[in-house]
């Protein structure tokens, strides 16, 4: 509901409307206090809650969705994306590196150790 209200929810569906994947990308309210972010990104958005239905995982859908989101957030005036990714999620880490994101720091939040990842879209 929060993502819908902020117009930051992105979904990928089959022709019949079945949900394949979803993610949120919008105003960064929770991560601004981290000192690791690049000073070259002046208006970043936060990428969060990326998920692909289990039966459709490992087919490139997350990468496709993220590339689409990158184009859309540029249209909304954002010049970069940053997010947290679990240090214990090797598939996600490999995908983000493949898409040109890089680790710029680390933090502990919500009782979990995270890598801080970002990409300048400008």
């Amino acid at each position: 509901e929060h993502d819908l209200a902020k117009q930051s929810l992105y979904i990928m569906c089959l022709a019949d409307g079945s949900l394949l994947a979803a993610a949120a990308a919008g105003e960064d309210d929770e991560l601004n206090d981290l000192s690791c972010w690049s000073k070259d990104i002046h208006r970043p958005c936060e990428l969060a809650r990326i998920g692909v239905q289990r039966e459709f995982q490992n087919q490139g859908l997350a990468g496709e969705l993220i590339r689409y989101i990158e184009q859309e957030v540029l249209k909304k005036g954002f010049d970069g994306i940053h997010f947290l990714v679990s240090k214990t999620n090797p598939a996600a880490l490999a995908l983000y590196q493949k898409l040109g994101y890089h680790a710029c720091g680390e933090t502990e939040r919500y009782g979990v150790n995270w890598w801080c990842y970002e990409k300048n879209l400008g």
Side-chain angles (χ1 to χ4, degrees):
E1 289 178 6
H2 175 77
D3 295 332
L4 282 172
K6 293 188 93 175
Q7 297 181 340
S8 62
L9 181 64
Y10 295 86
I11 60 171
M12 181 183 284
C13 296
L14 291 172
D16 68 2
S18 301
L19 180 66
L20 291 174
E27 292 291 335
D28 178 13
D29 300 328
E30 295 184 32
L31 304 180
N32 282 335
D33 64 325
L34 296 174
S35 62
C36 61
W37 305 124
S38 169
K39 304 301 182 219
D40 295 335
I41 299 174
H42 304 286
R43 187 164 183 251
C45 72
E46 178 188 359
L47 182 64
R49 294 175 287 291
I50 303 165
V52 176
Q53 293 281 11
R54 187 171 309 280
E55 63 268 24
F56 296 104
Q57 291 179 357
N58 301 311
Q59 296 179 29
L61 296 178
E64 196 173 318
L65 180 59
I66 292 168
R67 283 188 291 275
Y68 175 80
I69 288 171
E70 290 174 352
Q71 295 171 12
E72 292 302 305
V73 299
L74 273 170
K75 292 177 191 175
K76 292 181 178 182
F78 295 105
D79 65 346
I81 295 177
H82 58 230
F83 55 90
L84 303 180
V85 60
S86 171
K87 291 182 174 184
T88 61
N89 191 341
L93 292 167
L95 171 63
Y96 300 139
Q97 290 172 1
K98 179 180 173 183
L99 293 174
Y101 290 84
H102 68 278
C104 58
E106 55 187 297
T107 189
E108 183 179 335
R109 299 236 168 154
Y110 325 109
V112 177
N113 291 315
W114 305 91
W115 288 115
C116 303
Y117 265 65
E118 69 179 0
K119 182 177 182 180
N120 188 325
L121 300 175

